[in-house]
Amino acid sequence: MSSPKEILIGPADGTIKEMLSQANPIDVIQKIQRDYGLEVRGMDVPYALLDLCGYTRFEIHLAYLDALNKTIVAKIKSASFQLADFQDIFDRTKKYIGLPYMQPIPMALLEKFEPHIGEDVLEDLKADEAVFNNCPLNIKKRIWKKDEVFFQQQMLAMLNDYHHDDTLKELAMTLKPDNYQEVLEKRRSHPIMMRIMEIIGGDATLYRMFTDLVRIVFKATPYPSLCSLRVDLLMNFHDQDATQIYESDKCHRLIWSLDTCVRNQNMDNAIVAKIKECFDDVKNGTPLYGDFAMVLMDPLISNFLSSSIVRWLRNGIDSKDATLDELINYNAKLLNLAQHAPSAIADEIKIPKLDKDLRTHFWQAMISWIINEKAGATVPSESVQAIHDLLVKNDVARKTFVQYLFERAGENDLKTLNLGLPLLLQTLPRDEGEIQHATTYKSFVFSLINDVIKRRIQDVVIDRRWRQTIMDHFLIKLIHWNAWAIEQVVRLIAALFADPKVAFNLSADHILLLTDWANQCAAQAMQEQDESSKPNLYNAFENMLSQAHQHLDESRQFEPATVIQFCTELA
């Protein structure tokens, strides 16, 4: 006959219920108290006091159990609790590991005596998702390292959260951050990144397993966010001096060299020589060459490379430094690797050489554009056409051109924007699979709108030149691209109302103009086929209406009928 102590908790709840149903419950409880040494003299007194304080018996007993768990766990963690003690108690407590209130004790035993846990126990833990999620990290690591597929399944949700994180998306879409060091710190100290670092610890095997997973996911969905994760993870371990980790990663030297460039916003012949050394003995078409391409696709790195090209193109006009051409072409080569990273990883094929049209047509067209921009002259039509032709087919050209346009926006060069922005509209990606193409243009639009909000928010309504260039001829036309573009334009309109000083200066005619823009956005939103985009659009429109109602007085009402209809239908 089994010991009565085996039927107090856990699986014995049915037995206890039966005992209570067959006799006076008070008699049953008193018997259990006597048999298990729970009959404590004077207990009625604190119970009465706690009853007066409004605590239920469940709350009281839960507090007792919590205190008991803490006391036992502290004992388990103490040096006096040895292996013999573990062997005596673990088998008796592991059966209750599925009960949340009883988990602390067996989990503490698992954590302290992990090397002594049998494979059969590990399999049982893995089989119960709820239990596994609460297991100590050293136990999880043992299970993961024995089952890489299981590890990948566990990590996928984390990769998905990382990709969709709003803060990380905004950092990735900022073409020229005000403070690069701050961006790196935000990326590398992000809670998801910290959790990944904690999971891997100093374990080179888990690091290899995780980077392999990133590569596998990138094959199916080649998003730049995965490239950022790949770079930041290694640099975090580099900064921790985790030699076992970073010395096992053949991308380390390349990532470290490029990270130095980004931090210092400088790239010269000496640094280029170090980067070139990374490619020694690495053949095009090999997995490592694909990994290098993936590193270069990190937005912070690719934006730095393209902005450097623009700077060198401008400097080269008045300089006889022949090395500038070499630097321009080498950066373009690196960006070309980034452009072909998806195919290099997915198919392990050789990355094609840099499009010769970049050298023979695009650079010359950009130089012509810059010369005429500086002189205030008209850019030749053949230069405009050459740039258009490369924007259609080449992401190196696109990244370079949007950097140039963003630079000109910062200089309030409306003439260049009037000529350049229509080229973006004419070369928008039409296929959802053109991830890099879309990312490059989205980054420009996001950065341009942020710059307008920061420096020229009032001008896009009140100043006719700015209004026509930014709004009428570009952003209002852009809303036909996709739901994201609509959301960005609505964000800009909302910002006009959110600034009390700007809102105060808006006349009735300005309100009518904003109403028209908002209604155009809502009309386009109604035509969106992707239902998953509707909640974000709804939130953007609701925020716009809220800002307007908050900062406009009663004499200036903002009531865009199509917007209200859209929100009403989705509410």
Side-chain angles (χ1 to χ4, degrees):
M1 186 173 177
S2 62
S3 166
K5 293 184 180 180
E6 296 181 9
I7 64 167
L8 260 185
I9 55 178
D13 57 353
T15 305
I16 294 175
K17 287 178 182 178
E18 184 179 351
M19 293 169 59
L20 291 170
S21 67
Q22 294 178 348
N24 186 327
I26 294 178
D27 294 338
V28 173
I29 292 171
Q30 290 175 345
K31 183 178 187 304
I32 291 174
Q33 289 175 333
R34 288 194 302 271
D35 291 345
Y36 287 86
L38 301 175
E39 191 175 30
V40 180
R41 184 174 298 177
M43 274 299 296
D44 290 344
V45 176
Y47 269 128
L49 289 174
L50 291 168
D51 287 341
L52 288 173
C53 292
Y55 292 102
T56 65
R57 289 301 163 90
F58 174 78
E59 291 171 330
I60 295 169
H61 295 156
L62 192 60
Y64 286 158
L65 180 58
D66 182 59
L68 183 61
N69 276 327
K70 288 178 179 177
T71 301
I72 297 175
V73 167
K75 174 65 177 176
I76 292 170
K77 290 181 177 180
S78 69
S80 63
F81 194 92
Q82 297 295 311
L83 181 59
D85 302 308
F86 160 74
Q87 292 169 337
D88 176 56
I89 193 173
F90 182 66
D91 285 342
R92 288 189 286 152
T93 58
K94 69 180 181 182
K95 68 185 70 176
Y96 306 123
I97 200 167
L99 300 172
Y101 298 141
M102 300 299 295
Q103 275 185 1
I105 295 171
M107 290 299 181
L109 293 168
L110 287 171
E111 182 175 18
K112 183 171 182 176
F113 297 96
E114 174 266 319
H116 303 281
I117 304 300
E119 295 298 322
D120 57 331
V121 175
L122 295 180
E123 286 298 319
D124 289 342
L125 295 172
K126 186 175 77 171
D128 190 323
E129 183 180 0
V131 171
F132 177 84
N133 289 338
N134 289 328
C135 281
L137 190 55
N138 57 345
I139 291 293
K140 288 181 176 179
K141 287 183 176 183
R142 263 189 69 184
I143 294 172
W144 285 330
K145 289 165 76 171
K146 288 182 176 296
D147 190 340
E148 190 161 354
V149 172
F150 181 68
F151 172 77
Q152 292 171 354
Q153 293 169 345
Q154 291 273 308
M155 295 297 106
L156 278 175
M158 197 172 296
L159 289 184
N160 188 62
D161 290 343
Y162 182 91
H163 172 68
H164 290 288
D165 184 86
D166 288 337
T167 298
L168 293 172
K169 284 195 291 188
E170 290 183 5
L171 292 175
M173 284 195 293
T174 302
L175 284 181
K176 284 191 175 182
D178 294 331
N179 188 320
Y180 284 86
Q181 184 64 36
E182 183 179 323
V183 171
L184 289 171
E185 288 177 1
K186 284 182 178 179
R187 282 185 11 169
R188 294 173 185 176
S189 62
H190 190 277
I192 298 176
M193 175 61 72
M194 291 295 96
R195 178 56 181 158
I196 295 170
M197 294 287 295
E198 180 187 11
I199 287 171
I200 294 173
D203 196 312
T205 300
L206 283 175
Y207 177 79
R208 190 270 307 162
M209 290 167 60
F210 188 82
T211 53
D212 283 353
L213 172 63
V214 172
R215 207 174 192 278
I216 290 169
V217 175
F218 186 80
K219 284 183 179 182
T221 53
Y223 288 107
S225 58
L226 295 167
C227 306
S228 302
L229 175 58
R230 177 77 172 81
V231 168
D232 290 345
L233 185 63
L234 178 62
M235 283 309 302
N236 270 351
F237 282 116
H238 172 93
D239 292 343
Q240 290 183 359
D241 200 25
T243 55
Q244 187 179 7
I245 296 289
Y246 66 73
E247 287 181 356
S248 69
D249 192 331
K250 294 181 179 179
C251 293
H252 174 242
R253 275 203 308 161
L254 178 63
I255 291 176
W256 180 81
S257 299
L258 292 167
D259 183 76
T260 301
C261 292
V262 172
R263 286 178 183 273
N264 298 328
Q265 286 298 287
N266 178 57
M267 191 175 191
D268 53 29
N269 286 305
I271 296 175
V272 168
K274 289 183 178 296
I275 293 173
K276 287 181 177 179
E277 289 176 3
C278 299
F279 288 86
D280 290 347
D281 303 322
V282 181
K283 293 184 179 180
N284 191 351
T286 61
L288 181 56
Y289 205 80
D291 287 344
F292 281 4
M294 187 175 170
V295 167
L296 291 161
M297 194 175 147
D298 171 19
L300 208 56
I301 292 173
S302 61
N303 286 337
F304 166 76
L305 295 174
S306 55
S307 65
S308 296
I309 289 176
V310 174
R311 185 174 70 253
W312 293 329
L313 285 170
R314 185 175 292 281
N315 292 345
I317 293 171
D318 302 318
S319 172
K320 295 182 179 180
D321 187 355
T323 62
L324 288 178
D325 285 343
E326 296 177 13
L327 289 170
I328 289 169
N329 287 321
Y330 189 71
N331 266 24
K333 178 182 177 180
L334 295 178
L335 287 171
N336 182 60
L337 299 189
Q339 176 180 345
H340 293 94
S343 58
I345 293 290
D347 305 320
E348 294 189 0
I349 58 176
K350 282 190 175 183
I351 292 176
K353 292 182 179 180
L354 187 67
D355 191 331
K356 64 180 182 180
D357 285 343
L358 274 168
R359 297 188 185 205
T360 58
H361 295 97
F362 187 75
W363 298 148
Q364 291 305 314
M366 285 295 301
I367 290 171
S368 169
W369 197 306
I370 294 170
I371 289 173
N372 284 283
E373 159 239 303
K374 293 175 72 173
T378 301
V379 179
S381 59
E382 56 268 24
S383 296
V384 177
Q385 186 62 46
I387 289 175
H388 172 277
D389 293 345
L390 265 296
L391 293 179
V392 170
K393 65 176 182 175
N394 191 282
D395 204 56
V396 179
R398 288 190 285 262
K399 285 187 180 300
T400 304
F401 190 64
V402 299
Q403 286 286 351
Y404 171 68
L405 283 185
F406 189 65
E407 173 200 276
R408 300 320 302 154
E411 295 296 327
N412 305 321
D413 183 357
L414 293 180
K415 183 176 181 179
T416 296
L417 293 177
N418 269 318
L419 189 58
L421 293 177
L423 292 180
L424 300 188
L425 293 173
Q426 294 163 20
T427 58
L428 289 171
R430 301 301 177 186
D431 186 343
E432 292 183 2
E434 297 180 67
I435 293 174
Q436 288 197 75
H437 188 167
T439 299
T440 298
Y441 281 12
K442 281 183 176 181
S443 296
F444 172 77
V445 172
F446 180 81
S447 299
L448 177 66
I449 288 177
N450 280 354
D451 186 60
V452 167
I453 291 173
K454 183 178 179 180
R455 301 188 309 110
R456 314 292 306 212
I457 184 64
Q458 186 167 278
D459 292 335
V460 293
V461 177
I462 294 176
D463 188 305
R464 179 184 58 82
R465 296 173 309 141
W466 277 88
R467 182 175 71 241
Q468 290 180 343
T469 300
I470 301 299
M471 299 302 297
D472 295 340
H473 297 163
F474 183 59
L475 289 180
I476 296 302
K477 293 182 178 179
L478 187 72
I479 64 175
H480 298 283
W481 179 23
N482 57 25
W484 179 87
I486 300 171
E487 189 179 340
Q488 295 304 306
V489 176
V490 173
R491 178 169 73 90
L492 175 57
I493 297 172
L496 282 157
F497 294 121
D499 188 325
K501 292 182 179 178
V502 174
F504 179 79
N505 290 326
L506 294 174
S507 68
D509 287 341
H510 296 144
I511 300 297
L512 286 175
L513 179 62
L514 292 170
T515 300
D516 178 57
W517 289 345
N519 281 332
Q520 288 189 59
C521 289
Q524 188 61 35
M526 288 179 173
Q527 297 178 37
E528 282 298 318
Q529 300 298 313
D530 182 8
E531 291 298 321
S532 64
S533 68
K534 296 292 179 69
N536 283 345
L537 288 169
Y538 174 85
N539 291 336
F541 283 122
E542 280 290 312
N543 177 59
M544 178 185 67
L545 293 172
S546 174
Q547 295 294 344
H549 294 159
Q550 183 176 349
H551 294 109
L552 293 179
D553 55 49
E554 294 182 0
S555 64
R556 298 173 300 156
Q557 294 296 309
F558 177 72
E559 296 180 340
T562 312
V563 172
I564 294 170
Q565 179 186 349
F566 177 84
C567 292
T568 302
E569 290 177 356
L570 284 183

